[in-house]
Structure formats: C-alpha cells, structure tokens
Amino acid sequence: MPMIRAEDATKDYDVIIVGSGAGGGQMAFTLTLAGIKCLMLEAGRGYDPVAETPMFQRRDQAPLLGNSTPDKEFGFLDATVDGGWQMPAEPYTQASDKPEQQFWWWRARMMGGRTNHWGRISLRNGPYDFKPKSRDGLGLDWPVDYEDVEPYYTKVEQLIGVYGSNEGLENTPNSPDGVLQPPPKARAGELLAQKHGKTLGIPIIPIHRAVLTQTLDADRLPAVLFPGNAWAQKIVGDSMRARAACFWATPCGRGCSTGANYQSTTVHLPPALATGNLDIVANAHVREVLVGNNGKARGVLFVDKTTGQDVQVNANAVVLAASSGETVRIMLNSKSTLFPDGIANGSGLVGKYIMDTVGTSLQGQIPALENLPPYNEDGAGGSHFYAPWWLYQQAQALGFPRGYHIEMGATRGMPGGGNPLPDDLGNGAYGSRYKQEARRYYGSFMGFACRGEMIPNDNCFAELDNNVSDTWGIPVLKWHWQWAEHEQRMCDHAELTFRELIETMGGTVRSVTNGRNRIEPGGKIIHEVGGAIMGTAAATSVCNGYNQTWEVPNLFLVDGTPFPSNADKNPTLTIMALAWRAGDYLVDQSRRGLL
Amino acid sequence: MSHNFQDQDQYLQPESPSAVPIVVGQTSRLPRRTVIKWFVAVAASLKLGDAQVFGAEPGPGEPVITANGYGKDPLLNHTHNPGDLWPLTLSPTQRAAAIALADVILPADNLGPAASQLRCVDFVDEWVSAPYPAQLRDRGIVLPGLDWLDAESGRRFANVFAGLTLSQQQAICDDICFQARAADELQAAARFFSRFRSLAAAAYYATPEGWDAIGYVGNQPSLTYDGPPEAVLAHLGVEQTVA
C-alpha cells in the first residue's frame, strides 16, 4: 500500500482524515471519488494484508500454540499488530481502583485499524434504535431517522459485500432485494439451536457479515453506486474485481489476504488510492487539531513517530475517525484561546456518554453433537447464524428496557491450543481412552453470547489525565465507568435464556450462571462509541446529524463518537453508513462554499 | 468487533492455571542426584545419547526466565518452532520424564501416533520456558511435578519414570489422573497431571495428525461450503434451512 513520508505531506489538501479504519476508510473512499484531495494520517504502521496475513498457519506453527499473551491479547495469529488493550508507549488511566469501574481500551495501531481483525458482523440499526428516548424515555434520540440512513446502509452493503437474509423481523431491517449476498449454509449446532429456539420463541436466523460468499458484481454495482460517473465506476469496478469470494477456510480475525471479507485495507483504501487523490502517512500520531483565527480548523499537528518530530499539515477541513476514545483525546488536547476546553467542546460534552456493548456468555455441552462423523465445518470464518432481539413487545415486563442479540459458536473449528476434554468429562482419562473421549466430545460444545444495548449514563466518560502523558508528551485519557442496573438485569435475563436454550437442546450448562458477576468489563466487547454525540442543538450535543461539529463547521467526526445510543447491533456498519452520508454532505457544503 | 467463539471458546484456551504450586511431599522426595543416578542407569536401555544424559544435573537452581516475549508486532506469517523465540529450559531429566508421561497420556493407537512423534514436549517446554505470567505460573506446577514423578517412581519402583514399564507408569498415573478422586496427599501431583495433560493435548491436537485423531477436517480452501452432510442432519433430526 503506497504511503508518503511525513515530510512530503506539504501540499495544500482539501481534507485531512485522521484514522484509516471503517470511518476513515469510508470517508477517504467517498471524498476521493468525488475529486477531493485528501491526506490520511494513521497513528500505526503501514500494514499489507496481502503479504502479512497468516491465513493457513496452524496453531503448532505459532508460539505458545497461538494462545493469548500480554503481547497478543487475542492470540498470536490475530490480525492486530502494535495494539491491544495495553500499549506501553500509550498508557491510559482509570479513575477508580475497582475493576468493575474500569474501562478496557482497545487500540489497533496499524493501517486499517480494527477493521483488520473485527468479527465482520454487519447489522443495520432499526428504526427504534435511532429514537430510543422517544420509545421509553431513557437515553438520547438521534437527530436522524432510519430513513435518513437507509440509503447509505444499502450503498455500504453493496460496496463491502454483506451476506445474510431478509426475515422481516421487528426492528431488524431488511435490505432491498438483491443487495445482500447469499448466506452460507448453517452448521450443525446452529441448526440444532434454531430448531429448539423455535420452541422457545427465539428466532435464530442467518446473521449479516461482511464476507463475500460470491464475487461482487463488478459489471453492475459500480453503476448503481456512481451513476453517470464512468471514472468512478472504473476505479470501483477494478477494485471489486480484485476481491475473491470466500474459500471457506481460515478465521476472519486473522485478516484476509484475498479480500473476501471487508477490511479497510482491502476494500476502502485501494480504490481511494487509485483515484490519485489520497496521500497516506503512517506512524502519524496526532497531537491536536489546529484552529485559525476564523474559528475553523486549519490543519493538524502530529508526531512523526519515525523521527519524533512534530509535523504540521494544512487543509480546508478535518475529519476525525480515530476511534471514539482517540478522537475524544485529540479533541480535548486541541486547546486554543477560542476553545480553551478542547475543540468544539463549548457544550462540555466531549468525552461524555461513552458506551460499549453489554456482553456476557454461557457455554454448554450438547450430547447430540457428540461423535459426529468428521466433516468440514469451517464455513465463513465466523458466525453463520444469530438471534436478533425478539422481545420488543415485552420490554415492560422484563424489567430492563433495551434488548440484546444472541451470537453463537459451534465448535468444530480448528482444535489445538487448549485441552479438548475438560477434566470433569474426561473423568481422569488418559491413554487411548483419553483420545477416544476427546474425539467423542470434540464439536459438542456451544457458546452463546449476549450482545446488548447499553444506555448512556453520566458515570461513563473519558477526560484528560493531566498527570500522565504518553511517550510523546501528550496527556492521556482517564476513564470513568459504571454499568447501570439496566445492563445487569439484561445479563441476568440472557443467562437464563441461554440456560433454557442449552437445556432444551438436551445439553448441560458448562459454567456458573451469575449475570451480576459475569458482565464483561466496559470496553471488553470493543464497541466503544459516544464521546461526542450528535443531536439537534449545540447546547446538548457536539455535532449535528451530518457528523459536523456545531462550533467548527469544517470539523467532522465519522467514527463511533457521534453515537447518542449504542443499539445491540454491532456499530461498524452504522459508522460506515454515516461516514458515507457525512462525506456526501461535506462535498455538497464545500461546493457551495459553506465550509 | 465481536469476539469470535471459534478462537475464544474456553475449550480452545488453556485452562485457568492454578496459582497453588505443587508441594513436593518431603517423605517421598529423593535427592536429585539419586534421581539422576537412576536416570543414567536406565538411559542406555532407552538408547538416549550421552549428551542427553550427562549434564542433566542442573545448576544450583532452576534456570531463571529472563527472555523477552515476542513483542506486540511479531512476524505473524511465519512458521515458529519451539526454541526460536526464547530458550527451552527443561533439563534433560525433566524432558525424559515429560516425554514418557506425554506418551502415556497420548499413546500411539488406531487414532494416531504417540505424543513424542508430534513434538508435544517441545511445545510443553516452550510453554513452561515462556516469559509471560500464565506460563510462569504453569512452570511452577509442571517443573516440580516432573521432579515429583521421578521421585515417586524411585520410591515405588527404584527407577525414573521414563525407565518404568507401562504398567508401572500407569500405576502412578492412576493415582493422580483425576483430582476429584486423588488422595489428599496426592492433590498437588494430581493438579500437575491435569495441567500437563492439558498442555500435551493442546499440542497434540494442534498438528495435522492430531486433527485426524480428533476428527477435524478443515483449513482447506474449497469452492463451496456444503454444510453438514445428510447423515449428520438426520442424526440431529434437523433440516438445512439455508438454500
């Protein structure tokens, strides 16, 4: 992936984009294909998924059989390089010593950011999800409706490729006909869960994931996405042709050198670079957004991590897409006489209302899945099925206002790296009996995970820690966190549901059910959103419904920061849809001279 | 992102290591030099080379782990072998006991080769020699456990574990193979056995031969994904619901 050196980023850019992940990648794609000259700054190193992805590596070819370590927290082969929950050069602090009041902040310091390793689950927010406060009086409404975002969901799905089905379920939007790719066939455990879920009223259906089950229709889609623009059509068509369909092997979290799944580095950045309108500087750790006397953003000051020198770059507009936490940090550190508390922070809301996804899980052992004849169940390198939230009509009776979806994993995946036969089931077996029992139980374990909506609260926020700086002298974030009763009750419900489902399948729960203790720490699900919410007024939000900050009209936020709520739906697809919409708006405003 | 069950599943992760170290029973412990003497005595019958036998006596203490980890940006697209990233530290004596024990747990049979043929102890050695907290905790369980195994073999059968007959080895293993049934004074040894079995199996099933042994078929590119075969669907009483 071509990059330029920091000292060569001297021309006058139209737009500087900070961050190269889902939001930054989408913004670069949208703007460069509209003819806008962009400079992208990525805090991590350059990364080439074609050359670096360990696609077929076995666990016995990885140190410690690929298991997690403090250096590689998701295991050795995970596609995150130079990142994780802890990065020595870039610490963060906690306001509380209590583990349940701490936030785990995941960073991916690499080209493409977290899009290299994410789960590729791509769910649309439904109409309810944009107006939660109107429905139950809690949290915050978005200034946009589902109908505002819907065309962009469709465009993103057509560009990145999303498999799934249209089931017409409540607040679980269909995509227009022909937009989704065919879902992969169900795995055995998924079918068993589907069958028994039906008796419990739990709809278990194909999930939506950004994985190509067919090659993209490069002869048709570019014209749909860029009508009347032959130049854009050619670039996007060429990029689509460079991506292969899934070959049904290897875990997606290692990245995908063939481009079968979505990551910014294989889908958004190549066509953006092909326009000739994008320069990328890696190892560019942004210190602050600079403000001119007219109150507008005029550029960015970043540390070139290869030399340690500060570099200033100038542009007519600045887009922050650095991830919620990092965008908050940059904004709060961007202090000036006009913005003494951080850029665009007149409301005092920058850093407030940080959210994550509510997570808890339960595993079961299912005798019906024992001793199955061997067959290849790798599939699409991740989930094929899930259950969308199904109890919207029972919210009052449940005692918690919002919902969760169920993700599930059946386990005929690549073994090794851990004991396949828990001691209690093995009953002390060793020798040939151990090997027989390991084979018997292999594939008979299933996990069910709650991924639920958290309601923003005043106790979850990030601020600058004025006593601690990173390696380059930039003040770090201090996190405040507190789950509320809503989320605890949701976990209680999820665990009871999972127990019921496992037992209905004839199985046995393998771990102790205790929702109060089992809710994952804040940040653990890596869906951090909020921190610079969008709204209808400058006094009560940081940006408007086009991701444009109220106070600095040429400053846009296109990562998760503008989210005023965090539906149970995984946020990445919505980040991309809003970024595309913000990009179109930026182009329009720019052409009208309004930036 | 969402955590991927197939990579995060608890059964693919090492068990939570116990923080309780093995307590070596004072009554059964023999001086290390006695153990080494037995080892040397049986080495010839095991056809081990001298280089593996002599020098077996470790220094005044176990090797201290001083290596760095592989860092946050290691080379992923590369085949790593045990010993490449940090030195292996099991003594030859411990290695001999470990190889023998791994083969008792995972012998050659109709499901596949013995653990020793699949380098399982190399991985165990890499594991207990690693500079990370979880592995250092396991080091505190596995190394004393291997020493105990030889000491117990000496007490019962006047030989090191690797020199025992299979039935003698099994007599010891039967007493420690299941913590829930192990005698009070053998609880620490049973904890060691459990941890060692986990590590050896983790290594065994990470190999292609181990995949065959457990029934994993995958990591192979294919043009289509066909889902479970009819026999599996019939066994489960389900129908494929995706066209």
Side-chain angles (χ1 to χ4, degrees):
Chain A
M1 186 158 292
M3 285 167 284
I4 64 168
R5 296 180 304 172
E7 59 265 37
D8 295 332
T10 53
K11 63 178 140 178
D12 288 329
Y13 292 97
D14 296 319
V15 178
I16 292 168
I17 301 167
V18 180
S20 63
Q26 180 63 59
M27 202 64 167
F29 176 91
T30 304
L31 296 181
T32 56
L33 281 158
I36 306 277
K37 301 280 184 195
C38 295
L39 172 67
M40 174 176 278
L41 302 175
E42 165 53 51
R45 72 164 172 87
Y47 172 77
D48 179 0
V50 175
E52 297 193 54
T53 303
M55 296 286 275
F56 287 95
Q57 247 75 4
R58 303 187 310 259
R59 281 176 168 266
D60 66 335
Q61 295 170 325
L64 301 174
L65 302 166
N67 279 283
S68 313
T69 67
D71 283 332
K72 291 280 289 180
E73 292 147 307
F74 272 110
F76 185 80
L77 297 167
D78 176 65
T80 305
V81 297
D82 260 350
W85 275 300
Q86 296 296 332
M87 296 160 49
E90 298 183 55
Y92 54 91
T93 62
Q94 308 283 354
S96 169
D97 292 336
K98 297 178 180 173
E100 69 272 21
Q101 293 181 359
Q102 298 186 345
F103 187 82
W104 295 38
W105 189 21
W106 182 273
R107 276 79 52 87
R109 287 291 182 257
M110 60 192 299
M111 194 65 63
R114 303 176 195 178
T115 70
N116 294 295
H117 93 142
W118 68 307
R120 275 86 183 175
I121 294 173
S122 301
L123 306 175
R124 294 184 176 207
N125 278 8
Y128 301 174
D129 301 320
F130 290 101
K131 302 295 172 194
K133 185 173 186 182
S134 297
R135 280 177 50 79
D136 59 26
L138 299 167
L140 302 159
D141 281 346
W142 297 57
V144 294
D145 295 316
Y146 176 72
E147 288 70 26
D148 297 320
V149 187
E150 195 281 335
Y152 289 96
Y153 277 133
T154 297
K155 284 162 65 150
V156 170
E157 288 170 347
Q158 289 170 315
L159 173 69
I160 69 175
V162 174
Y163 71 61
S165 61
N166 288 325
E167 304 284 336
L169 297 174
E170 186 174 11
N171 199 41
T172 304
N174 287 352
S175 299
D177 288 345
V179 168
L180 293 176
Q181 296 223 326
K185 284 191 163 46
R187 301 184 176 99
E190 292 164 337
L191 289 172
L192 197 64
Q194 184 184 46
K195 174 182 170 180
H196 292 289
K198 199 171 285 180
T199 69
L200 299 173
I202 303 170
I204 296 178
I205 61 172
I207 200 168
H208 292 201
R209 287 184 71 237
V211 177
L212 300 184
T213 53
Q214 301 175 338
T215 49
L216 286 167
D217 188 347
D219 296 327
R220 183 181 67 87
L221 287 172
V224 173
L225 294 172
F226 295 92
N229 184 343
W231 174 76
Q233 289 173 22
K234 169 144 191 353
I235 289 169
V236 173
D238 288 348
S239 177
M240 287 180 170
R241 285 185 193 91
R243 299 178 61 196
C246 183
F247 52 43
W248 314 108
T250 82
C252 294
R254 298 183 184 185
C256 189
S257 66
T258 67
N261 66 32
Y262 165 80
Q263 51 204 89
S264 177
T265 38
T266 55
V267 178
H268 276 137
L269 299 184
L273 285 163
T275 65
N277 291 328
L278 178 65
D279 284 345
I280 304 178
V281 176
N283 295 307
H285 184 55
V286 171
R287 190 180 288 279
E288 62 178 294
V289 178
L290 301 169
V291 180
N293 293 332
N294 59 2
K296 293 182 181 177
R298 65 188 170 90
V300 159
L301 193 64
F302 68 88
V303 182
D304 175 3
K305 293 199 296 194
T306 57
T307 63
Q309 300 297 308
D310 276 7
V311 178
Q312 181 178 331
V313 283
N314 303 314
N316 297 321
V318 172
V319 173
L320 296 180
S323 83
S324 280
E326 194 66 19
T327 288
V328 162
R329 191 172 87 136
I330 292 167
M331 291 179 78
L332 293 176
N333 275 311
S334 302
K335 293 177 179 172
S336 59
T337 50
L338 283 170
F339 298 107
D341 299 319
I343 192 167
N345 192 24
S347 66
L349 290 174
V350 173
K352 303 294 166 58
Y353 302 126
I354 303 264
M355 291 158 276
D356 188 26
T357 289
V358 180
T360 193
S361 61
L362 204 64
Q363 281 76 39
Q365 193 274 328
I366 318 291
L369 294 169
E370 292 173 18
N371 268 329
L372 294 185
Y375 63 97
N376 187 336
E377 208 172 52
D378 280 357
S383 310
H384 291 188
F385 272 51
Y386 85 126
W389 179 237
W390 66 103
L391 295 172
Y392 287 104
Q393 299 306 321
Q394 279 92 62
Q396 289 294 328
L398 291 173
F400 60 94
R402 306 282 171 78
Y404 61 89
H405 70 257
I406 306 173
E407 296 177 12
M408 62 193 68
T411 56
R412 294 195 76 84
M414 185 187 286
N419 185 358
L421 181 64
D423 280 6
D424 60 322
L425 296 179
N427 205 24
Y430 67 89
S432 286
R433 193 165 72 81
Y434 178 90
K435 293 170 79 174
Q436 287 158 8
E437 292 292 274
R439 188 178 173 98
R440 165 187 167 189
Y441 283 105
Y442 168 66
S444 73
F445 302 97
M446 283 192 74
F448 296 90
C450 157
R451 294 290 180 259
E453 176 163 355
M454 170 192 176
I455 299 170
N457 71 59
D458 292 335
N459 299 313
C460 295
F461 63 98
E463 61 183 344
L464 290 184
D465 187 329
N466 292 315
N467 298 315
V468 180
S469 296
D470 68 14
T471 299
W472 301 276
I474 306 175
V476 307
L477 283 187
K478 180 195 287 181
W479 292 93
H480 299 250
W481 194 262
Q482 181 71 62
W483 291 114
E485 183 67 17
H486 301 306
E487 289 87 33
Q488 301 282 1
R489 287 187 191 161
M490 176 186 284
C491 285
D492 293 345
H493 185 272
E495 299 223 2
L496 288 173
T497 301
F498 300 161
R499 176 177 288 277
E500 196 174 18
L501 186 53
I502 289 165
E503 290 175 351
T504 304
M505 293 168 73
T508 309
V509 170
R510 292 285 306 157
S511 49
V512 177
T513 302
N514 186 343
R516 300 290 152 147
N517 294 334
R518 286 177 53 81
I519 188 168
E520 298 274 14
K524 189 77 185 295
I525 311 299
I526 319 184
H527 290 167
E528 114 229 8
V529 299
I533 58 171
M534 60 166 58
T536 53
T540 53
S541 58
V542 178
C543 59
N544 64 23
Y546 288 100
N547 302 55
Q548 177 186 34
T549 62
W550 292 109
E551 294 173 275
V552 183
N554 65 342
L555 175 65
F556 289 77
L557 316 175
V558 302
D559 46 26
T561 44
F563 281 39
S565 77
N566 189 19
D568 69 275
K569 282 74 167 202
N570 311 51
T572 310
L573 189 75
T574 300
I575 287 173
M576 288 193 264
L578 290 174
W580 197 326
R581 184 169 178 270
D584 282 356
Y585 174 80
L586 191 159
V587 171
D588 176 68
Q589 294 288 294
S590 175
R591 286 180 180 153
R592 292 204 259 156
L594 296 176
L595 296 184
Chain B
M1 64 159 284
S2 275
H3 300 176
N4 182 339
F5 275 114
Q6 273 129 7
D7 274 355
Q8 292 299 304
D9 186 280
Q10 63 171 339
Y11 305 106
L12 300 181
Q13 295 292 320
E15 296 163 353
S16 299
S18 166
V20 182
I22 290 263
V23 178
V24 177
Q26 293 300 314
T27 53
S28 65
R29 174 131 203 194
L30 293 175
R32 178 181 292 275
R33 63 178 173 277
T34 308
V35 173
I36 299 302
K37 192 170 71 180
W38 289 332
F39 181 84
V40 173
V42 299
S45 67
L46 294 174
K47 297 185 168 38
L48 296 178
D50 285 355
Q52 288 173 279
V53 177
F54 297 104
E57 183 82 62
E62 297 290 350
V64 177
I65 303 299
T66 57
N68 294 318
Y70 47 65
K72 298 195 81 73
D73 190 10
L75 196 55
L76 304 186
N77 194 1
H78 178 75
T79 296
H80 294 84
N81 289 303
D84 285 355
L85 293 167
W86 46 81
L88 306 183
T89 60
L90 283 183
S91 70
T93 313
Q94 290 162 337
R95 247 185 117 68
I99 289 168
L101 181 59
D103 278 357
V104 174
I105 293 170
L106 295 153
D109 59 15
N110 65 314
L111 290 177
S116 56
Q117 290 177 258
L118 301 182
R119 302 189 305 154
C120 288
V121 170
D122 289 350
F123 285 99
V124 174
D125 199 350
E126 178 193 52
W127 188 279
V128 299
S129 304
Y132 297 108
Q135 284 71 29
L136 288 169
R137 281 196 297 274
D138 279 348
R139 181 179 181 81
I141 296 171
V142 171
L143 268 58
L146 292 170
D147 291 345
W148 176 89
L149 202 59
D150 275 345
E152 181 71 4
S153 301
R155 191 180 67 80
R156 292 202 205 181
F157 304 112
N159 207 333
V160 291
F161 186 77
L164 303 185
T165 65
L166 181 60
S167 62
Q168 289 171 330
Q169 290 170 333
Q170 288 171 335
I172 294 175
C173 290
D174 285 343
D175 290 342
I176 59 174
C177 65
F178 194 24
Q179 251 183 287
R181 279 200 306 261
D184 287 349
E185 66 273 20
L186 293 176
Q187 279 296 309
R191 190 177 307 122
F192 151 72
F193 188 92
S194 167
R195 195 70 204 115
F196 186 90
R197 177 171 49 200
S198 293
L199 293 174
Y204 190 90
Y205 293 111
T207 63
E209 293 86 348
W211 293 357
D212 288 345
I214 208 166
Y216 170 67
V217 180
N219 206 38
Q220 297 290 329
S222 56
L223 287 174
T224 60
Y225 175 70
D226 301 326
E230 278 304 321
V232 169
L233 299 179
H235 171 78
L236 294 175
V238 297
E239 290 181 10
Q240 180 59 258
T241 55
V242 174

